[in-house]
mmCIF file of all heavy atoms in Angstrom:
data_model
loop_
_atom_site.group_PDB
_atom_site.id
_atom_site.type_symbol
_atom_site.label_atom_id
_atom_site.label_comp_id
_atom_site.label_asym_id
_atom_site.label_seq_id
_atom_site.Cartn_x
_atom_site.Cartn_y
_atom_site.Cartn_z
ATOM 1 N N VAL A 43 59.475 -0.169 36.173
ATOM 2 C CA VAL A 43 59.525 0.651 34.953
ATOM 3 C C VAL A 43 58.462 1.756 34.968
ATOM 4 O O VAL A 43 58.790 2.941 34.826
ATOM 5 C CB VAL A 43 59.404 -0.244 33.704
ATOM 6 C CG1 VAL A 43 59.277 0.609 32.460
ATOM 7 C CG2 VAL A 43 60.620 -1.150 33.578
ATOM 8 N N PRO A 44 57.164 1.470 35.147
ATOM 9 C CA PRO A 44 56.201 2.573 35.220
ATOM 10 C C PRO A 44 56.321 3.393 36.495
ATOM 11 O O PRO A 44 55.943 4.574 36.512
ATOM 12 C CB PRO A 44 54.845 1.871 35.132
ATOM 13 C CG PRO A 44 55.104 0.513 35.647
ATOM 14 C CD PRO A 44 56.493 0.156 35.238
ATOM 15 N N LEU A 45 56.840 2.781 37.571
ATOM 16 C CA LEU A 45 57.058 3.551 38.796
ATOM 17 C C LEU A 45 58.067 4.668 38.559
ATOM 18 O O LEU A 45 57.987 5.727 39.195
ATOM 19 C CB LEU A 45 57.529 2.619 39.913
ATOM 20 C CG LEU A 45 57.779 3.259 41.273
ATOM 21 C CD1 LEU A 45 56.487 3.835 41.844
ATOM 22 C CD2 LEU A 45 58.362 2.222 42.248
ATOM 23 N N THR A 46 58.997 4.448 37.638
ATOM 24 C CA THR A 46 59.949 5.498 37.282
ATOM 25 C C THR A 46 59.232 6.717 36.724
ATOM 26 O O THR A 46 59.601 7.862 37.017
ATOM 27 C CB THR A 46 60.966 4.954 36.268
ATOM 28 O OG1 THR A 46 61.609 3.797 36.808
ATOM 29 C CG2 THR A 46 62.008 5.996 35.930
ATOM 30 N N LEU A 47 58.199 6.501 35.911
ATOM 31 C CA LEU A 47 57.430 7.620 35.362
ATOM 32 C C LEU A 47 56.733 8.394 36.471
ATOM 33 O O LEU A 47 56.684 9.633 36.441
ATOM 34 C CB LEU A 47 56.402 7.114 34.347
ATOM 35 C CG LEU A 47 56.861 6.954 32.901
ATOM 36 C CD1 LEU A 47 57.893 5.837 32.764
ATOM 37 C CD2 LEU A 47 55.672 6.668 31.993
ATOM 38 N N VAL A 48 56.190 7.678 37.454
ATOM 39 C CA VAL A 48 55.507 8.343 38.570
ATOM 40 C C VAL A 48 56.483 9.221 39.340
ATOM 41 O O VAL A 48 56.178 10.371 39.693
ATOM 42 C CB VAL A 48 54.858 7.294 39.491
ATOM 43 C CG1 VAL A 48 54.249 7.973 40.714
ATOM 44 C CG2 VAL A 48 53.795 6.516 38.754
ATOM 45 N N ILE A 49 57.687 8.702 39.587
ATOM 46 C CA ILE A 49 58.678 9.456 40.358
ATOM 47 C C ILE A 49 59.163 10.664 39.572
ATOM 48 O O ILE A 49 59.318 11.761 40.127
ATOM 49 C CB ILE A 49 59.845 8.530 40.751
ATOM 50 C CG1 ILE A 49 59.349 7.447 41.716
ATOM 51 C CG2 ILE A 49 60.966 9.325 41.400
ATOM 52 C CD1 ILE A 49 60.401 6.425 42.070
ATOM 53 N N ILE A 50 59.412 10.510 38.275
ATOM 54 C CA ILE A 50 59.866 11.638 37.465
ATOM 55 C C ILE A 50 58.800 12.724 37.412
ATOM 56 O O ILE A 50 59.106 13.918 37.415
ATOM 57 C CB ILE A 50 60.238 11.165 36.045
ATOM 58 C CG1 ILE A 50 61.460 10.247 36.101
ATOM 59 C CG2 ILE A 50 60.527 12.346 35.132
ATOM 60 C CD1 ILE A 50 61.833 9.661 34.760
ATOM 61 N N ALA A 51 57.527 12.334 37.391
ATOM 62 C CA ALA A 51 56.428 13.305 37.350
ATOM 63 C C ALA A 51 56.178 13.974 38.691
ATOM 64 O O ALA A 51 55.237 14.768 38.814
ATOM 65 C CB ALA A 51 55.144 12.628 36.871
ATOM 66 N N GLY A 52 56.993 13.683 39.700
ATOM 67 C CA GLY A 52 56.850 14.353 40.985
ATOM 68 C C GLY A 52 56.001 13.624 41.995
ATOM 69 O O GLY A 52 55.665 14.200 43.037
ATOM 70 N N GLY A 53 55.631 12.375 41.721
ATOM 71 C CA GLY A 53 54.798 11.620 42.657
ATOM 72 C C GLY A 53 55.539 10.417 43.213
ATOM 73 O O GLY A 53 56.740 10.240 43.006
ATOM 74 N N ILE A 54 54.815 9.575 43.896
ATOM 75 C CA ILE A 54 55.355 8.329 44.442
ATOM 76 C C ILE A 54 54.164 7.407 44.672
ATOM 77 O O ILE A 54 53.060 7.864 44.980
ATOM 78 C CB ILE A 54 56.135 8.556 45.770
ATOM 79 C CG1 ILE A 54 56.859 7.279 46.204
ATOM 80 C CG2 ILE A 54 55.211 9.070 46.841
ATOM 81 C CD1 ILE A 54 57.935 6.829 45.292
ATOM 82 N N ASP A 55 54.390 6.125 44.481
ATOM 83 C CA ASP A 55 53.332 5.135 44.672
ATOM 84 C C ASP A 55 53.934 3.933 45.384
ATOM 85 O O ASP A 55 54.821 3.265 44.840
ATOM 86 C CB ASP A 55 52.736 4.722 43.328
ATOM 87 C CG ASP A 55 51.520 3.810 43.490
ATOM 88 O OD1 ASP A 55 51.160 3.514 44.644
ATOM 89 O OD2 ASP A 55 50.931 3.408 42.464
ATOM 90 N N VAL A 56 53.488 3.680 46.597
ATOM 91 C CA VAL A 56 53.949 2.513 47.341
ATOM 92 C C VAL A 56 52.844 1.479 47.498
ATOM 93 O O VAL A 56 53.055 0.446 48.144
ATOM 94 C CB VAL A 56 54.466 2.927 48.739
ATOM 95 C CG1 VAL A 56 55.661 3.852 48.621
ATOM 96 C CG2 VAL A 56 53.365 3.585 49.566
ATOM 97 N N SER A 57 51.685 1.728 46.890
ATOM 98 C CA SER A 57 50.562 0.800 47.027
ATOM 99 C C SER A 57 50.628 -0.351 46.041
ATOM 100 O O SER A 57 49.801 -1.264 46.107
ATOM 101 C CB SER A 57 49.239 1.556 46.836
ATOM 102 O OG SER A 57 49.113 2.027 45.505
ATOM 103 N N PHE A 58 51.590 -0.322 45.101
ATOM 104 C CA PHE A 58 51.640 -1.369 44.087
ATOM 105 C C PHE A 58 51.913 -2.734 44.709
ATOM 106 O O PHE A 58 51.542 -3.768 44.150
ATOM 107 C CB PHE A 58 52.714 -1.045 43.053
ATOM 108 C CG PHE A 58 54.104 -0.941 43.599
ATOM 109 C CD1 PHE A 58 54.901 -2.067 43.763
ATOM 110 C CD2 PHE A 58 54.631 0.282 43.967
ATOM 111 C CE1 PHE A 58 56.175 -1.980 44.271
ATOM 112 C CE2 PHE A 58 55.910 0.384 44.473
ATOM 113 C CZ PHE A 58 56.685 -0.752 44.630
ATOM 114 N N ALA A 59 52.579 -2.756 45.884
ATOM 115 C CA ALA A 59 52.867 -4.037 46.521
ATOM 116 C C ALA A 59 51.585 -4.774 46.885
ATOM 117 O O ALA A 59 51.521 -6.006 46.784
ATOM 118 C CB ALA A 59 53.720 -3.805 47.766
ATOM 119 N N SER A 60 50.562 -4.036 47.302
ATOM 120 C CA SER A 60 49.272 -4.663 47.601
ATOM 121 C C SER A 60 48.418 -4.822 46.346
ATOM 122 O O SER A 60 47.569 -5.716 46.293
ATOM 123 C CB SER A 60 48.509 -3.832 48.637
ATOM 124 O OG SER A 60 49.193 -3.819 49.874
ATOM 125 N N THR A 61 48.635 -3.962 45.352
ATOM 126 C CA THR A 61 47.880 -4.083 44.104
ATOM 127 C C THR A 61 48.201 -5.397 43.396
ATOM 128 O O THR A 61 47.344 -5.975 42.724
ATOM 129 C CB THR A 61 48.195 -2.893 43.187
ATOM 130 O OG1 THR A 61 47.956 -1.671 43.890
ATOM 131 C CG2 THR A 61 47.324 -2.917 41.942
ATOM 132 N N VAL A 62 49.440 -5.865 43.529
ATOM 133 C CA VAL A 62 49.819 -7.151 42.937
ATOM 134 C C VAL A 62 48.927 -8.270 43.469
ATOM 135 O O VAL A 62 48.340 -9.051 42.704
ATOM 136 C CB VAL A 62 51.313 -7.451 43.227
ATOM 137 C CG1 VAL A 62 51.665 -8.859 42.769
ATOM 138 C CG2 VAL A 62 52.203 -6.439 42.537
ATOM 139 N N GLY A 63 48.790 -8.349 44.778
ATOM 140 C CA GLY A 63 47.949 -9.379 45.368
ATOM 141 C C GLY A 63 46.472 -9.161 45.119
ATOM 142 O O GLY A 63 45.717 -10.120 44.908
ATOM 143 N N LEU A 64 46.024 -7.892 45.129
ATOM 144 C CA LEU A 64 44.612 -7.599 44.898
ATOM 145 C C LEU A 64 44.186 -8.010 43.495
ATOM 146 O O LEU A 64 43.113 -8.612 43.299
ATOM 147 C CB LEU A 64 44.356 -6.113 45.122
ATOM 148 C CG LEU A 64 42.923 -5.626 44.890
ATOM 149 C CD1 LEU A 64 41.963 -6.307 45.853
ATOM 150 C CD2 LEU A 64 42.847 -4.109 45.049
ATOM 151 N N ALA A 65 45.002 -7.692 42.491
ATOM 152 C CA ALA A 65 44.673 -8.074 41.114
ATOM 153 C C ALA A 65 44.688 -9.592 40.952
ATOM 154 O O ALA A 65 43.850 -10.160 40.235
ATOM 155 C CB ALA A 65 45.659 -7.424 40.149
ATOM 156 N N ALA A 66 45.647 -10.262 41.606
ATOM 157 C CA ALA A 66 45.690 -11.724 41.532
ATOM 158 C C ALA A 66 44.452 -12.350 42.163
ATOM 159 O O ALA A 66 43.874 -13.307 41.617
ATOM 160 C CB ALA A 66 46.957 -12.235 42.212
ATOM 161 N N ILE A 67 44.019 -11.823 43.306
ATOM 162 C CA ILE A 67 42.816 -12.343 43.954
ATOM 163 C C ILE A 67 41.588 -12.086 43.089
ATOM 164 O O ILE A 67 40.697 -12.954 42.974
ATOM 165 C CB ILE A 67 42.651 -11.717 45.349
ATOM 166 C CG1 ILE A 67 43.770 -12.185 46.289
ATOM 167 C CG2 ILE A 67 41.288 -12.033 45.936
ATOM 168 C CD1 ILE A 67 43.770 -13.669 46.559
ATOM 169 N N ALA A 68 41.491 -10.900 42.476
ATOM 170 C CA ALA A 68 40.357 -10.610 41.598
ATOM 171 C C ALA A 68 40.306 -11.586 40.420
ATOM 172 O O ALA A 68 39.241 -12.062 40.023
ATOM 173 C CB ALA A 68 40.458 -9.168 41.092
ATOM 174 N N PHE A 69 41.482 -11.889 39.860
ATOM 175 C CA PHE A 69 41.535 -12.881 38.781
ATOM 176 C C PHE A 69 41.118 -14.259 39.283
ATOM 177 O O PHE A 69 40.361 -14.980 38.612
ATOM 178 C CB PHE A 69 42.950 -12.943 38.207
ATOM 179 C CG PHE A 69 43.213 -14.150 37.364
ATOM 180 C CD1 PHE A 69 42.718 -14.229 36.066
ATOM 181 C CD2 PHE A 69 43.944 -15.222 37.869
ATOM 182 C CE1 PHE A 69 42.943 -15.357 35.285
ATOM 183 C CE2 PHE A 69 44.189 -16.341 37.100
ATOM 184 C CZ PHE A 69 43.678 -16.409 35.800
ATOM 185 N N GLY A 70 41.595 -14.651 40.471
ATOM 186 C CA GLY A 70 41.237 -15.953 41.019
ATOM 187 C C GLY A 70 39.748 -16.083 41.284
ATOM 188 O O GLY A 70 39.150 -17.141 41.024
ATOM 189 N N ILE A 71 39.116 -15.022 41.786
ATOM 190 C CA ILE A 71 37.675 -15.060 42.044
ATOM 191 C C ILE A 71 36.901 -15.164 40.731
ATOM 192 O O ILE A 71 35.933 -15.924 40.611
ATOM 193 C CB ILE A 71 37.252 -13.818 42.843
ATOM 194 C CG1 ILE A 71 37.857 -13.860 44.249
ATOM 195 C CG2 ILE A 71 35.737 -13.723 42.934
ATOM 196 C CD1 ILE A 71 37.588 -12.610 45.062
ATOM 197 N N ALA A 72 37.318 -14.389 39.728
ATOM 198 C CA ALA A 72 36.645 -14.462 38.433
ATOM 199 C C ALA A 72 36.768 -15.849 37.823
ATOM 200 O O ALA A 72 35.814 -16.386 37.254
ATOM 201 C CB ALA A 72 37.232 -13.405 37.488
ATOM 202 N N ASN A 73 37.932 -16.457 37.952
ATOM 203 C CA ASN A 73 38.107 -17.810 37.423
ATOM 204 C C ASN A 73 37.314 -18.826 38.242
ATOM 205 O O ASN A 73 36.790 -19.817 37.689
ATOM 206 C CB ASN A 73 39.592 -18.159 37.445
ATOM 207 C CG ASN A 73 39.871 -19.564 36.970
ATOM 208 O OD1 ASN A 73 39.897 -19.841 35.776
ATOM 209 N ND2 ASN A 73 40.106 -20.481 37.890
#
Side-chain angles (χ1 to χ4, degrees):
V43 173
L45 181 63
T46 304
L47 273 67
V48 175
I49 294 175
I50 294 176
I54 188 65
D55 187 0
V56 298
S57 66
F58 61 85
S60 295
T61 306
V62 173
L64 179 62
I67 293 297
F69 165 76
I71 293 175
N73 178 79

